[in-house]
């Protein structure tokens, strides 16, 4: 009986150890920066990979609300009231959704910050919507990445796409 129990424990340990070594498909990431007036801007998200797919078609379809990442909705938080591209956004935590497009992306700051994907997205909960022009990035970025500069420039980089907005 002891041998059977020992073999079972060893088998479970081996399975758990091998499962822990598997790479996370869309790893979690956080970017944070303190910008003007001591405002802290934080973005928590999961990084989907392009994997040879086409942005706007097979992933992040054009014209549809997208969680702007993988897994849970991307979370955008500001420690003080700010202006996003000149429009007021109150201090707090928001879900950051986008509606990708060829010529413009709609960037959405939604009050329901703690949600999975965009399955329960409710436009009535939008705190702010802005429009940003996508540009071709200087280099290819396999895993979706957000950057925040001290100047307040926020950029989403993914594949050969760059979409940005200004936080002041």
């Amino acid at each position: 009986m002891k041998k059977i129990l020992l073999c079972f424990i060893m088998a479970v340990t081996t399975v758990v150890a091998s499962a822990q070594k598997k790479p996370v498909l869309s790893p979690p990431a956080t970017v944070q920066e303190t910008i003007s007036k001591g405002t802290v801007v934080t973005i928590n998200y999961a990084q989907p990979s392009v994997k040879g797919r086409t942005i706007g078609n097979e992933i992040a379809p054009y014209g549809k609300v997208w969680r702007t990442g993988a897994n849970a909705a991307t979370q955008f938080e500001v420690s003080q009231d700010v202006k996003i591209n000149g429009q007021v956004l109150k201090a707090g935590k928001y879900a950051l959704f986008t509606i990708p497009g060829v010529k413009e992306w709609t960037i959405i700051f939604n009050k329901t910050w703690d949600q999975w994907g965009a399955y329960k997205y409710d436009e009535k909960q939008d705190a702010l919507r802005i429009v940003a022009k996508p540009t071709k990035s200087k280099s290819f970025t396999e895993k979706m990445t957000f950057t925040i500069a001290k100047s307040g420039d926020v950029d989403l980089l993914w594949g050969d796409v760059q979409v940005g907005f200004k936080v002041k």
Side-chain angles (χ1 to χ4, degrees):
M1 183 69 167
K2 287 182 181 178
K3 285 183 180 181
I4 293 172
L5 183 58
L6 183 59
C7 287
F8 175 76
I9 290 170
M10 288 176 60
V12 169
T13 304
T14 302
V15 168
V16 169
S18 76
Q20 291 173 344
K21 292 178 184 177
K22 289 183 180 178
V24 177
L25 296 178
S26 296
T30 299
V31 62
Q32 184 176 72
E33 185 61 75
T34 302
I35 61 169
S36 65
K37 300 177 189 167
T39 302
V40 179
V41 180
T42 307
I43 304 173
N44 290 305
Y45 62 105
Q47 296 181 287
S49 295
V50 175
K51 293 183 184 173
R53 299 174 291 181
T54 305
I55 295 170
N57 187 4
E58 295 130 324
I59 49 175
Y62 289 152
K64 295 184 180 179
V65 173
W66 176 52
R67 68 182 113 192
T68 317
N71 308 325
T74 291
Q75 296 172 1
F76 181 90
E77 186 172 8
V78 288
S79 64
Q80 299 179 47
D81 293 357
V82 295
K83 287 190 176 182
I84 309 277
N85 285 7
Q87 296 184 53
V88 175
L89 183 69
K90 297 285 187 190
K93 192 182 282 192
Y94 301 89
L96 191 148
F97 293 103
T98 53
I99 303 173
V102 175
K103 295 183 180 182
E104 65 181 33
W105 284 43
T106 301
I107 300 170
I108 304 164
F109 300 87
N110 186 276
K111 296 174 199 170
T112 309
W113 63 268
D114 189 17
Q115 55 184 304
W116 186 262
Y119 305 107
K120 293 185 179 180
Y121 166 76
D122 181 359
E123 184 175 348
K124 292 181 210 136
Q125 294 300 311
D126 291 353
L128 177 65
R129 281 180 170 225
I130 61 166
V131 174
K133 301 290 182 194
T135 59
K136 187 172 175 78
S137 59
K138 294 177 184 171
S139 61
F140 187 87
T141 305
E142 177 63 28
K143 288 189 186 306
M144 190 193 80
T145 302
F146 279 98
T147 62
I148 307 169
K150 283 255 185 225
S151 64
D153 290 325
V154 176
D155 284 304
L156 179 153
L157 303 157
W158 197 28
D160 64 354
V161 176
Q162 180 172 345
V163 180
F165 56 90
K166 180 79 165 183
V167 181
K168 279 186 162 184

